Amino acid sequence: MSHESIVSVNAFGYSFYGGSEGNFINQILGEIKVKRKITVFTPNVDFLVRAEKDNAFKSILKNSDYLVCDGLPISAFHNKFIRRGHLHRITGSTVTKILATKAYSQGLRVAFVGGNDGVAVRAAKKIMLSEGIAKPSNERIPIFSFCPEFGFEKSERLTKELVNLINEFDPDFLFFGVGSPKQEKWICENIDNLSFGAAFGIGASFDFIAGSKSRAPEWVQKSGAEWIWRMAQEPTRLGPRYLKAIFPFLALCTKSIFKSWKY
């Protein structure tokens, strides 16, 4: 499937997928049918700020097959002030659950890798036991789940073991949630040795699916205050990260406005 057929929106110097969530789901399912290995990453404000100081991470984002906007401040700013194509917010957590559910019902192979110990397993079970999902048409185990050992990305042995585990399962969908930018870098560093259809960096999505962390109510998500909800749940870990990102993000917004005036 050629990239010429993909609707894209340029925001903050990145080419984001420009269609709706439903169109994106159909697009990815179509990619799986044509057996093209693809990467899908989900930038939020933290991604953009971090990438300004990490050229390797920025290059990974720019060269991903699909970038979907997971940060409401990104889409809200672009749609209000830049207005060159509508940028939909498509969250990694929602996409993970929808695609994994659809894949399971179609007998496709799904791998959940990452999260805290046991979380990926619980998330996989929730998908498989979700109400109203048809059973797969074949006898293959549809969802593989594994939590890699802490520091695996720095160990050649652990990396090789994880690559072998993934390849043995040969997933159509690889949902990889070990935090950013670790997950994106690990996927891209090992992509030539990995067997998968579509690989996603999905952060804390396993926690939301498994129920070990509660996602903000829909009205909070739509209001743009989901980051406050998450920070209240994990103030020690997320508080400093979010607060440190505010001013650099405002600087990126200002830069985007000036750049749009030039054109």
Side-chain angles (χ1 to χ4, degrees), residues 33-67:
K33 290 180 181 177
V34 298
K35 305 293 184 183
R36 190 171 78 89
K37 185 187 287 189
I38 61 171
T39 56
V40 183
F41 300 136
T42 59
N44 55 26
V45 169
D46 184 60
F47 277 54
L48 300 191
V49 170
R50 191 186 299 270
E52 288 302 298
K53 298 179 180 180
D54 187 338
N55 288 329
F57 186 40
K58 178 182 282 190
S59 178
I60 285 171
L61 296 180
K62 285 183 174 289
N63 289 289
S64 174
D65 294 289
Y66 290 89
L67 286 184

Side-chain angles (χ1 to χ4, degrees), residues 225-243:
E226 187 173 8
W227 67 277
I228 298 177
W229 176 279
R230 288 204 62 197
M231 188 169 66
Q233 288 186 312
E234 300 180 79
T236 303
R237 186 175 74 88
L238 297 181
R241 179 194 299 181
Y242 287 168
L243 293 175

Side-chain angles (χ1 to χ4, degrees), residues 2-114:
S2 68
H3 280 251
E4 286 73 23
S5 64
I6 299 172
V7 177
S8 62
V9 173
N10 189 281
F12 294 93
Y14 297 92
S15 182
F16 286 90
Y17 179 79
S20 66
E21 180 184 280
N23 288 338
F24 176 72
I25 296 296
N26 291 333
Q27 182 87 21
I28 297 302
L29 289 171
E31 293 275 20
I32 294 300
K33 290 180 181 177
V34 298
K35 305 293 184 183
R36 190 171 78 89
K37 185 187 287 189
I38 61 171
T39 56
V40 183
F41 300 136
T42 59
N44 55 26
V45 169
D46 184 60
F47 277 54
L48 300 191
V49 170
R50 191 186 299 270
E52 288 302 298
K53 298 179 180 180
D54 187 338
N55 288 329
F57 186 40
K58 178 182 282 190
S59 178
I60 285 171
L61 296 180
K62 285 183 174 289
N63 289 289
S64 174
D65 294 289
Y66 290 89
L67 286 184
V68 293
C69 176
D70 195 349
L72 185 58
I74 297 172
S75 60
F77 171 82
H78 178 85
N79 294 334
K80 185 173 179 63
F81 295 103
I82 307 301
R83 291 181 287 185
R84 293 183 177 173
H86 186 80
L87 183 59
H88 294 267
R89 186 192 184 202
I90 304 174
T91 68
S93 299
T94 302
V95 163
T96 299
K97 190 169 184 179
I98 293 174
L99 276 174
T101 301
K102 285 183 176 291
Y104 174 66
S105 68
Q106 296 175 23
L108 297 172
R109 287 180 176 267
V110 178
F112 281 4
V113 178

